[in-house]
Amino acid sequence: MISFEPLQILLIKRKISKMDFVEQVGISPSTAAKMWKNEYVALKVIDDICNKLGCSLTDVIEHIPDKKNI
């Protein structure tokens, strides 16, 4: 599973609200909602986030292995 928890932590540390994040990055509220639910978003969106926030991929997402495959 891909988790966007690192992004949520980054936004809290930088004191950026979810709505400010949506505006700064230029994504739709529905795309942001998918991210908060750990649903699929295009890699282009993740690339845009990294570029706009000046952060790395690991600041945005993390991989959580499926328990059944461990």
Side-chain angles (χ1 to χ4, degrees):
M1 175 175 89
I2 299 297
S3 169
F4 287 91
E5 186 175 352
L7 175 61
Q8 295 172 11
I9 293 168
L10 179 70
L11 295 179
I12 290 168
K13 285 182 181 177
R14 293 190 182 182
K15 297 180 179 163
I16 301 172
S17 72
K18 289 181 180 180
M19 287 310 298
D20 287 342
F21 164 73
V22 167
E23 290 175 13
Q24 284 181 17
V25 177
I27 60 174
S28 70
S30 62
T31 298
K34 287 180 182 181
M35 292 167 48
W36 310 145
K37 296 179 199 172
N38 294 322
E39 295 178 359
Y40 171 82
V41 297
L43 286 175
K44 174 71 173 121
V45 172
I46 296 171
D47 184 48
D48 289 346
I49 292 167
C50 291
N51 286 323
K52 298 281 177 146
L53 296 182
C55 62
S56 68
L57 186 62
T58 57
D59 293 323
V60 178
I61 62 172
E62 70 178 327
H63 176 256
I64 300 171
D66 293 337
K67 292 182 183 198
K68 66 181 179 181
N69 292 331
I70 296 179

